[in-house]
Amino acid sequence: RAKEAGKARYEIFDRVMHAHAVNQLQLESDLRDAIAHQELLVNYQPIISLTTGKLTGFEALLRWEHPSRGFVSPAEFIPIAEETGLIITIGEWILREACRQLHTWQLQHQLSNSLTISVNLSSKQLREPTLIKKIEQIINETKLNSSCLKLELTESMLIDNIEAVISTMSQLRGKEIHLSIDDFGTGFSCLSYLHRFPINTLKIDRSFVNRIGEENENLGIVKTIITLAHELGMDAIAEGVETQQQVNQLKALGCDQAQGYFFSKPLSGESAELFIATHKI
Ligand code: C2E
Ligand code: MG
Ligand code: MG
Ligand code: MG
């Protein structure tokens, strides 16, 4: 009987695995068409200066409006895009779209070069030999001032092939593009190496910011990351800020900027433009 039960369990497991694999394959094939069918969109989440209270820029976040499934979360499709290499095409697409959009807003609202656009880069993109060329091309094409572009990398990208990564990052910095480390504190990066990378900004992961305010559980960690950033000549942005109390504490700790639902959820292009108009510099 034990054997029978085991077999039944195995069959259930097998069916679940099979359904999962079919689902992944379907998503993968749909994702291939998503760009051509214009199902990908960019949302823009405002980033706010904690010293002036003003809008400093936006983070561009991918959205997929699937024809039958509806909204598919980036948490679900970015890993597929990375595994299949589709992230190269998609990553280039959002970079161009985001740069084009910011430049349009700068012209329409006479912003000169005052706002920035942050774009997430995947590790595949960072390792692509033509990355620098492509970015150069996008900057030229969209006429965006390169100092208005910020690229977000994660700690895990700083672990392998350090020399090559430093070289790529230095070339980007040479073009005045800003570099941020996203979700900082979750990737166990080697702190003694951090100063070797030409990084401008540490973005404090949401999971730490979450737990200040009411509970003071992570106040020490948040404070340490802000101090670390400043010691290394970088600035700190808090991610996932949801309450006034969190804002107050972050200000008291000297955190430079913040992003989160307290200020605004990620917005459609249209709503982001309204946000600019109502928070005019
Ligand atoms: P991320 O780069 O750390 O982006 C921040 C995520 O936190 C976004 O989720 C945003 O909607 C969410 N968020 C912002 N404020 C709050 C808040 O106050 N509370 C809560 N609970 N969440 C908040 P989203 O848009 O679902 O994106 C998830 C991740 O997918 C991103 O994390 C990023 O790693 C990845 N991603 C999104 N767009 C791209 C892209 O164009 N390229 C690449 N390579 N990755 C992307
Ligand atoms: Mg990010
Ligand atoms: Mg993040
Ligand atoms: Mg995150």
Side-chain angles (χ1 to χ4, degrees):
R1 265 180 61 206
K3 201 174 161 193
E4 295 253 301
K7 192 173 167 231
R9 231 176 301 146
Y10 178 75
E11 275 169 6
I12 291 167
F13 177 71
D14 200 40
R15 243 180 286 139
V16 170
M17 287 291 286
H18 183 254
H20 179 73
V22 167
N23 184 50
Q24 292 292 100
L25 275 173
Q26 189 60 53
L27 271 184
E28 178 184 328
S29 115
D30 293 351
L31 192 53
R32 285 184 198 283
D33 300 328
I35 299 186
H37 296 171
Q38 295 182 306
E39 294 161 15
L40 294 182
L41 305 165
V42 189
N43 273 5
Y44 300 88
Q45 188 173 35
I47 301 176
I48 307 294
S49 161
L50 287 176
T51 46
T52 66
K54 288 181 177 169
L55 175 70
T56 63
F58 294 94
E59 177 172 1
L61 294 159
L62 261 175
R63 295 292 178 262
W64 183 12
E65 205 60 64
H66 188 283
S68 58
R69 293 171 195 239
F71 171 74
V72 183
S73 162
E76 198 176 341
F77 73 83
I78 297 278
I80 297 177
E82 281 175 347
E83 278 165 39
T84 54
L86 282 168
I87 194 68
I88 300 287
T89 316
I90 293 174
E92 193 183 334
W93 176 82
I94 188 172
L95 198 56
R96 178 175 287 106
E97 186 59 24
C99 290
R100 189 197 57 73
Q101 182 60 268
L102 180 60
H103 188 250
T104 305
W105 287 335
Q106 287 178 334
L107 288 182
Q108 283 170 348
H109 297 271
Q110 281 118 40
L111 299 171
S112 62
N113 294 324
S114 53
L115 292 183
T116 60
I117 188 77
S118 300
V119 180
N120 296 284
L121 268 200
S122 91
S123 61
K124 278 242 168 81
Q125 286 176 280
L126 191 68
R127 279 187 266 118
E128 243 241 313
T130 57
L131 175 74
I132 306 280
K133 256 217 173 100
K134 278 184 182 167
I135 291 180
E136 218 164 37
Q137 204 183 321
I138 289 171
I139 293 281
N140 288 337
E141 221 176 276
T142 61
K143 302 190 179 65
L144 184 74
N145 188 306
S146 56
S147 66
C148 299
L149 175 61
K150 293 179 145 199
L151 298 176
E152 297 192 0
L153 317 175
T154 57
E155 282 168 277
S156 61
M157 299 184 196
L158 309 181
I159 294 167
D160 296 325
N161 236 326
I162 294 178
E163 298 309 325
V165 171
I166 291 176
S167 155
T168 304
M169 290 173 85
S170 303
Q171 290 179 65
L172 292 167
R173 286 296 301 124
K175 300 190 185 305
E176 289 188 272
I177 293 166
H178 284 240
L179 300 173
S180 309
I181 302 301
D182 204 354
D183 306 336
F184 189 80
T186 59
F188 303 105
S189 65
C190 187
L191 292 185
S192 64
Y193 273 27
L194 208 56
H195 73 278
R196 295 190 51 201
F197 298 93
I199 298 162
N200 303 96
T201 304
L202 298 183
K203 295 189 78 174
I204 309 165
D205 190 67
R206 185 171 87 212
S207 60
F208 304 122
V209 177
N210 249 336
R211 295 164 82 179
I212 63 170
E214 293 273 280
E215 329 152 42
N216 276 335
E217 250 178 277
N218 282 321
L219 204 58
I221 294 181
V222 170
K223 186 178 174 183
T224 303
I225 297 176
I226 294 167
T227 307
L228 176 68
H230 291 163
E231 285 291 326
L232 294 173
M234 305 169 185
D235 60 4
I237 301 186
E239 297 192 89
V241 177
E242 295 186 356
T243 69
Q244 178 71 61
Q245 258 177 312
Q246 291 169 347
V247 172
N248 297 343
Q249 285 182 324
L250 289 162
K251 274 189 190 169
L253 294 175
C255 187
D256 304 281
Q257 299 182 46
Q259 171 182 357
Y261 296 170
F262 177 76
F263 301 103
S264 171
K265 293 204 166 182
L267 303 168
S268 67
E270 249 170 63
S271 304
E273 194 182 346
L274 261 174
F275 196 95
I276 294 174
T278 52
H279 292 75
K280 207 145 183 186
I281 334 293

